[in-house]
């Protein structure tokens, strides 16, 4: 069993860190929130007084932080100075590709091992240990990270070198946003045309309009009982989170010179929904904006 520093014990990180502790690893927990650290101590982890304290003497480090600026600050300000040579770093935060490559490149220069390993699956999957990890890094570093990531997930897949995990994540989520908006538009039009939503689902889910947004995350109540649509559009995956990922996708598209007009439209629509008070509503709740039933909050 390994000594693992876990930094960033928020909605996602706490469940992930608990799963590492339950698997028998010696988890050293740090977060700016003392309550978050205390929760982990209650689950068998030990408390660290800073990120540097958590990392010193650890075999591996997992970070689960809000955004690129936090990841840069924590690695450059604390982790690099305190970690032993050869320490394995796994950054599971969703951040911009440039920050992932920058921090990962610095780590490699300094003789550490590093993978960017953002996740798909929300808080429920983090708690259940059923996340999907999209990993960027060398084959050797991936092989070293895989057993730890397996403890927290159901699928661990290498997408390529440093930054590839983040690249897969933002491309996947851009596609998800586009198919969700398309699915919402189709259900809204179907209703205006007098179709029963269940009938439209029964046929389209077996025809060429089928997608994950329809069959696993249907944005109208009824056809798929487990979706947020059946629970007042409580997340699930909040609109504000989707908007963050769409912004990252547009920044990356601009930097890479890729044409993503539907990604740009999706970002604009989610920004509008967020501005009208939909930020903490599940991202499938954007159907209310499209069918005119949303009341600005
Ligand atoms: P969160 O805001 O709940 O947790 C982030 C934690 O990081 C907080 O507890 C905060 O105190 C801590 N933190 C911030 N700066 C720190 C520092 N300098 N040192 C130590 N701790 C610090 O966010 P979350 O929902 O857990 O998301 C974490 C990451 O996972 C984000 O990048 C997010 O985009 C991604 N993600 C979230 C979901 C989801 O459904 N919530 C799904 C997939 C990916």
């Amino acid at each position: 069993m390994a000594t693992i520093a876990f930094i960033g014990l928020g909605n996602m990180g706490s469940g992930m860190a608990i799963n590492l502790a339950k698997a028998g690893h010696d988890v050293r927990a740090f977060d700016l929130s003392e309550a978050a650290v205390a929760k982990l101590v209650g689950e068998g982890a030990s408390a660290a007084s800073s990120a540097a304290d958590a990392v010193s003497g650890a075999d591996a480090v997992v970070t689960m932080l809000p955004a690129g600026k936090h990841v840069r600050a924590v690695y450059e300000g604390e982790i690099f100075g305190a970690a032993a040579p050869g320490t394995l770093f796994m950054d599971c935060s969703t951040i911009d590709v440039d920050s992932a490559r920058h921090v990962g490149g610095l780590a490699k220069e300094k003789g550490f091992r590093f993978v960017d390993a953002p996740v798909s699956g929300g808080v429920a999957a983090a708690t259940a240990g059923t996340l999907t990890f999209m990993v960027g890094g060398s084959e050797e570093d991936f092989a070293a990270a895989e057993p730890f990531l397996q403890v927290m997930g159901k699928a661990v897949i290498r997408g390529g070198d440093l930054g590839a995990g983040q690249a897969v994540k933002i491309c996947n989520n851009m596609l998800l946003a586009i198919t969700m908006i398309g699915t919402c538009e189709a259900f809204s039009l179907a209703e205006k045309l007098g179709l029963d939503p269940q009938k439209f689902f029964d046929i389209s889910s077996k025809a060429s309009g089928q997608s994950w947004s329809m069959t696993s995350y249907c944005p109208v109540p009824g056809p798929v009982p487990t979706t947020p649509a059946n629970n007042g559009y409580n997340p699930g995956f909040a609109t504000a989170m989707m908007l963050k990922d769409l912004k990252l996708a547009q920044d990356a598209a601009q930097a890479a010179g890729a044409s993503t007009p539907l990604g740009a439209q999706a970002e604009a629509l989610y920004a509008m929904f967020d501005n009208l008070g939909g930020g903490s509503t599940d991202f499938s709740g954007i159907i209310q904006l499209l069918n005119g039933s949303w009341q600005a909050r």
Side-chain angles (χ1 to χ4, degrees):
M1 288 298 139
T3 300
I4 305 174
F6 203 113
I7 299 163
L9 306 162
N11 292 322
M12 296 292 289
S14 63
M16 295 163 70
I18 288 169
N19 286 329
L20 287 170
K22 278 188 183 155
H25 293 296
D26 172 14
V27 174
R28 296 186 179 180
F30 179 68
D31 193 288
L32 297 179
S33 153
E34 284 177 20
V37 176
K39 179 178 169 189
L40 252 292
V41 170
E43 299 284 345
S46 54
S49 57
S50 65
D53 179 37
V55 162
S56 121
D59 306 304
V61 177
V62 181
T63 44
M64 194 55 170
L65 296 163
K69 65 178 181 189
H70 307 93
V71 171
R72 285 179 186 246
V74 170
Y75 276 89
E76 294 182 48
E78 300 208 52
I79 294 180
F80 289 153
T87 304
L88 171 67
F89 301 145
M90 294 165 272
D91 179 38
C92 299
S93 328
T94 299
I95 65 170
D96 56 290
V97 176
D98 281 351
S99 290
R101 289 191 176 139
H102 172 77
V103 173
L106 280 179
K108 298 300 290 177
E109 262 173 47
K110 292 173 186 293
F112 300 113
R113 296 176 290 166
F114 184 98
V115 292
D116 52 293
V119 302
S120 174
V123 176
T127 307
T130 55
L131 293 165
T132 294
F133 286 88
M134 312 163 194
V135 188
S138 69
E139 287 183 9
E140 297 76 26
D141 291 355
F142 175 74
E146 198 177 8
F148 298 112
L149 301 178
Q150 295 275 10
V151 171
M152 301 182 279
K154 67 170 178 358
V156 181
I157 304 164
R158 179 172 176 265
D161 290 329
L162 282 179
Q166 300 296 349
V168 172
K169 166 88 185 172
I170 58 173
C171 292
N172 179 75
N173 279 19
M174 183 180 79
L175 180 58
L176 170 62
I178 292 167
T179 61
M180 179 53 77
I181 290 169
T183 305
C184 291
E185 287 188 0
F187 271 101
S188 300
L189 175 59
E191 197 184 347
K192 293 261 190 237
L193 296 176
L195 289 172
D196 172 6
Q198 181 67 51
K199 280 283 169 219
F200 175 61
F201 174 86
D202 291 345
I203 298 168
S204 190
S205 63
K206 291 179 184 60
S208 46
Q210 185 273 340
S211 71
W212 186 91
S213 291
M214 177 176 283
T215 53
S216 294
Y217 216 86
C218 189
V220 297
V224 183
T226 51
T227 68
N230 299 284
N231 183 26
Y233 296 102
N234 282 319
F237 185 44
T239 288
M241 290 278 187
M242 175 54 94
L243 182 56
K244 172 193 163 185
D245 293 354
L246 289 169
K247 285 182 174 154
L248 291 175
Q250 286 311 293
D251 289 348
Q254 241 176 13
S259 170
T260 54
L262 286 179
Q265 277 295 317
E267 185 200 347
L269 281 168
Y270 276 106
M272 188 190 296
F273 190 38
D274 185 48
N275 281 335
L276 292 171
S280 57
T281 299
D282 186 77
F283 83 112
S284 63
I286 199 166
I287 193 168
Q288 299 163 95
L289 184 70
L290 298 167
N291 68 17
S293 67
W294 179 254
Q295 308 282 329
R297 292 170 190 175

